[in-house]
Amino acid sequence: MKKWKYIISSFMAVAMIVGLNVQNVSADEINQNQIFPDTQARIDSTLAEYPQFEKYINGVLDTVEISDFSDDANEINSFIMQALDTVGEIGAMGQSRYQTAVQEYENRIEPRVGIAYNTALAAYNQGIRIVENRGCPNTARYMRHAICPEDSTGYPASVDDTNTSWAYSLVYDCYGFYDAVCEKFESIILPNNPSGGTVGGTFEYTSKNSSLDAFAALHRVEYSVTFTRMSNGGYKATYYIHDVYDFAWDNNGYDNFEVGFANNYCAAMQTMGWIRPFDIFMTVIEEKNSAYKFYFRINLGIFRND
């Protein structure tokens, strides 16, 4: 496999002008002939619309560099374009969810009659401490991030949890997510694209298929996973997960009383405008020599540490 590198052209130039925080998407070396102009243009336009996928696309390109793909440029570009198709679908879904959350938040705002901001915030912070004591540090972190000053009109910045221990745990330690990805790998990738491919969809973390922290912090997410076959016959994967941190009053949607109670208290805080929705993005890139380097094995249907 020839070493190759992708350089963002028109999109990077625009990003530099407007000051977007987007890094160069690249592998270590370059063979510009490997990427067709149409593929290059598609990567540019995808990143212009969904810049949060920059690390994910970078991870996909890096895995192609070390995969067992032939030097057939058609095969390589088809693989990249298929990943970009899924990125576009998942990106549009996430964008719509965030816009809906913001609109619903603005529609639910109610007058703050007889409720002091500092009093409500003190109770909310006490709730955060309880959440931490229950072993849910990431839920607590997101709860703090959602807080807005009393008279502000803006929204919290998005949170990027790429390649953190939290992101790894959501991918590898929550067997419900793992099983969902395995099923798609076996039913979609292996029969149709044995050299590699991309799957995507939605997943719901529950108290039965994941940790309490994952259940409370995320619950429902969109995801995309790109598999690339390695020379040893295994598959390396690159993951993207997105959620909108948002609260709506829920009478029976949670299978855990404490989580349901906390959700509804947060929903009340959001109705008063003191916590607000924000995006959560995370990418997991299986790095070479990483403790979390796993390969998907055709013969066993499991990940193995290598």
Side-chain angles (χ1 to χ4, degrees):
M1 175 67 194
K2 295 177 181 176
K3 297 282 188 175
W4 55 304
K5 177 181 180 181
Y6 169 65
I7 297 178
I8 299 178
S9 57
S10 56
F11 172 68
M12 242 355 247
V14 173
M16 292 175 67
I17 293 171
V18 301
L20 291 177
N21 184 23
V22 178
Q23 299 176 359
N24 191 25
V25 175
S26 64
D28 295 329
E29 297 180 21
I30 185 167
N31 181 345
Q32 289 176 299
N33 294 327
Q34 291 289 81
I35 299 183
F36 297 156
D38 286 350
T39 306
Q40 167 102 28
R42 180 71 179 283
I43 296 175
D44 286 348
S45 63
T46 299
L47 289 176
E49 188 167 8
Y50 307 116
Q52 67 269 23
F53 281 97
E54 180 264 331
K55 294 175 183 176
Y56 179 79
I57 294 173
N58 183 52
V60 170
L61 295 176
D62 282 350
T63 60
V64 172
E65 179 200 350
I66 60 174
S67 73
D68 74 340
F69 273 114
S70 68
D71 284 334
D72 183 347
N74 287 312
E75 183 183 22
I76 290 171
N77 281 266
S78 177
F79 172 81
I80 295 170
M81 291 291 270
Q82 196 254 332
L84 293 172
D85 286 342
T86 303
V87 163
E89 294 170 5
I90 298 301
M93 191 183 304
Q95 189 176 74
S96 176
R97 280 189 64 202
Y98 178 75
Q99 292 169 349
T100 298
V102 169
Q103 186 61 53
E104 290 180 350
Y105 159 76
E106 293 177 351
N107 292 340
R108 288 196 302 258
I109 289 292
E110 297 177 359
R112 307 161 186 167
V113 178
I115 303 176
Y117 174 79
N118 289 336
T119 301
L121 189 61
Y124 183 71
N125 282 326
Q126 180 61 32
I128 291 175
R129 287 189 285 273
I130 293 172
V131 166
E132 286 178 315
N133 290 336
R134 283 298 309 273
C136 300
N138 295 288
T139 303
R141 177 166 59 93
Y142 292 154
M143 290 175 70
R144 286 193 179 93
H145 189 77
I147 297 172
C148 295
E150 183 174 8
D151 298 320
S152 71
T153 58
Y155 289 81
S158 60
V159 172
D160 185 347
D161 276 325
T162 291
N163 274 1
T164 60
S165 59
W166 166 236
Y168 283 120
S169 72
L170 293 170
V171 168
Y172 300 123
D173 298 338
C174 294
Y175 63 86
F177 179 82
Y178 168 83
D179 287 346
V181 171
C182 285
E183 182 178 348
K184 288 197 173 187
F185 174 84
E186 293 173 345
S187 63
I188 298 174
I189 303 300
L190 285 183
N192 303 306
N193 302 291
S195 293
T198 301
V199 298
T202 60
F203 178 76
E204 182 175 338
Y205 291 94
T206 71
S207 61
K208 294 180 175 63
N209 68 16
S210 62
S211 68
L212 182 60
D213 202 10
F215 172 46
L218 298 178
H219 203 32
R220 299 178 182 92
V221 303
E222 307 93 50
Y223 70 89
S224 177
V225 186
T226 297
F227 295 97
T228 313
R229 189 170 62 189
M230 301 289 104
S231 58
N232 67 352
Y235 283 77
K236 196 166 187 179
T238 303
Y239 304 82
Y240 170 87
I241 295 175
H242 167 261
D243 194 17
V244 177
Y245 202 71
D246 177 45
F247 297 96
W249 194 273
D250 197 316
N251 290 323
N252 54 18
Y254 287 91
D255 59 4
N256 180 291
F257 172 78
E258 290 173 301
V259 173
F261 181 83
N263 174 83
N264 290 343
Y265 186 84
C266 290
M269 286 286 290
Q270 187 166 282
T271 297
M272 291 181 284
W274 293 331
I275 66 173
R276 293 172 196 158
F278 60 90
D279 280 313
I280 300 169
F281 304 116
M282 56 187 77
T283 302
V284 172
I285 304 170
E286 294 178 340
E287 302 285 358
K288 187 176 182 180
N289 299 324
S290 167
Y292 281 95
K293 182 168 67 104
F294 290 79
Y295 290 111
F296 201 95
R297 298 183 67 184
I298 295 176
N299 55 333
L300 297 181
I302 59 171
F303 283 102
R304 66 179 171 87
N305 224 341
D306 209 354

